């Protein structure tokens, strides 16, 4: 019974980290708040692997995971971004961008729960990746102006509800014999991140941004192909006249 509860405990830890991130951002400790979101991503990846390794998958765990993800990767990152960057722009624009992000995240999670995806791929940018990008991007507020932060937030929101295919690494499992190492790996990651919050957050931003931009590039290429296809069809119709 205890073994079956381990994945859900990881999920609840993920939720707790999201709440801590919110509280830290309200206290203007933005670097550490972003780190909490990153560690929550680690826990989010761990709970599913734990469930598969322990054969403890359940509908309860699935729903709990979605609710935790909405807090840790939908609400917490946008509060960090709003607190650090959006507060000095038009209030209507700031609130609108802040509402759109978690709403799109909720839609992304709901679609994931009810629609079967393509094997090996996610449909739309996963909310943990979107939240991770947003939380770490906020730390570049001195280098990136607020309008670009708003645009980035809207792009991430769109990518979550888009039909773009993203590689799915969740199926990479943990051998049952190696499960005992997981808490030590997480603890080591947390200690390093807390010791160097600003550096670690900005370093992690790079692979997360590359992952998000992959889908954005794929979407642009798909639109170009569709437009070229329409042009070819129009040309063919003109030649038949």
């Amino acid at each position: 019974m205890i073994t079956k509860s381990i994945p859900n405990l990881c999920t609840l830890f993920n939720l707790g980290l999201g709440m801590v991130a919110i509280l830290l951002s309200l206290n203007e400790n933005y670097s550490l708040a972003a780190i909490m979101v990153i560690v929550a991503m680690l826990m989010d990846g761990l709970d599913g692997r734990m469930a598969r390794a322990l054969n403890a998958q359940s509908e309860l765990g699935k729903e709990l995971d979605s609710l935790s993800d909405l807090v840790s990767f939908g609400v917490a990152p946008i509060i960090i971004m709003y607190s650090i960057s959006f507060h000095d722009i038009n209030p209507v624009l700031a609130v609108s961008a802040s509402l759109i992000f978690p709403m799109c995240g909720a839609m992304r999670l709901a679609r994931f729960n009810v629609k079967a995806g393509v094997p090996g791929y996610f449909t739309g940018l996963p909310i943990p990746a979107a939240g991770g990008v947003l939380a770490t991007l906020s730390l570049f507020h001195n280098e990136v102006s607020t309008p670009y932060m708003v645009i980035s937030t809207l792009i991430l929101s769109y990518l979550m509800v888009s039909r773009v295919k993203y590689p799915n690494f969740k199926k990479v499992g943990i051998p049952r014999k190696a499960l005992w190492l997981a808490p030590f790996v997480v603890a080591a990651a947390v200690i390093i991140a807390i010791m160097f919050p600003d550096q670690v957050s900005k370093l992690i931003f790079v692979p997360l941004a590359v992952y998000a931009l992959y889908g954005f590039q794929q979407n642009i290429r798909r639109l170009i192909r569709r437009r070229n296809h329409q042009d070819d069809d129009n040309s063919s119709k003109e030649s038949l006249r």
Side-chain angles (χ1 to χ4, degrees):
M1 185 66 180
I2 295 177
T3 302
K4 297 289 185 180
S5 301
I6 291 176
N8 288 345
L9 291 175
C10 291
T11 304
L12 289 173
F13 191 31
N14 164 14
L15 174 61
L17 289 167
M19 291 301 302
V20 171
I22 293 171
L23 296 174
L24 287 170
S25 65
L26 294 178
N27 286 298
E28 300 184 2
N29 196 339
Y30 304 119
S31 296
L32 197 54
I35 280 295
M36 293 300 105
V37 174
I38 298 304
V39 178
M41 289 180 64
L42 184 61
M43 297 306 301
D44 180 61
L46 187 61
D47 61 7
R49 290 172 172 83
M50 283 281 195
R52 287 187 288 274
L54 297 172
N55 194 25
Q57 295 167 289
S58 66
E59 286 300 314
L60 173 64
K62 182 179 178 181
E63 296 302 324
L64 183 61
D65 184 66
S66 293
L67 293 171
S68 298
D69 285 358
L70 183 58
V71 173
S72 297
F73 311 119
V75 178
I78 198 63
I79 289 179
I80 297 171
M81 178 63 81
Y82 182 90
S83 300
I84 200 172
S85 183
F86 287 2
H87 59 81
D88 58 352
I89 60 173
N90 182 283
V92 175
L93 179 60
V95 171
S96 298
S98 299
L99 290 175
I100 287 171
F101 184 81
M103 286 179 178
C104 289
M107 289 293 295
R108 170 68 179 77
L109 289 167
R111 186 176 67 187
F112 176 78
N113 285 345
V114 301
K115 285 190 177 181
V118 178
Y121 290 91
F122 291 116
T123 301
L125 179 64
I127 188 173
V133 171
L134 195 68
T136 52
L137 175 64
S138 67
L139 302 181
F140 292 89
H141 64 282
N142 290 326
E143 294 83 13
V144 181
S145 62
T146 302
Y148 290 106
M149 291 291 196
V150 173
I151 292 170
S152 299
T153 301
L154 296 177
I155 289 175
L156 289 170
S157 302
Y158 163 72
L159 289 175
M160 284 193 286
V161 296
S162 71
R163 307 299 301 180
V164 176
K165 300 296 186 295
Y166 281 87
N168 179 0
F169 302 113
K170 280 199 169 186
K171 297 300 181 182
V172 180
I174 299 176
R176 193 180 181 93
K177 293 181 179 179
L179 287 178
W180 66 274
L181 286 172
F184 298 101
V185 173
V186 172
V190 171
I191 291 171
I192 294 172
I194 290 175
M195 289 175 63
F196 310 100
D198 198 54
Q199 296 87 338
V200 171
S201 296
K202 290 183 176 181
L203 184 64
I204 291 175
F205 167 77
V206 176
L208 290 177
V210 169
Y211 183 72
L213 288 172
Y214 165 81
F216 189 62
Q217 179 196 27
Q218 292 294 101
N219 198 49
I220 292 175
R221 293 174 70 177
R222 185 178 65 179
L223 291 173
I224 292 173
R225 285 197 300 268
R226 184 185 299 172
R227 183 173 180 179
N228 290 338
H229 182 69
Q230 290 175 347
D231 290 342
D232 291 341
D233 288 345
N234 291 335
S235 298
S236 299
K237 291 177 182 178
E238 289 292 332
S239 62
L240 292 174
R241 290 180 181 178

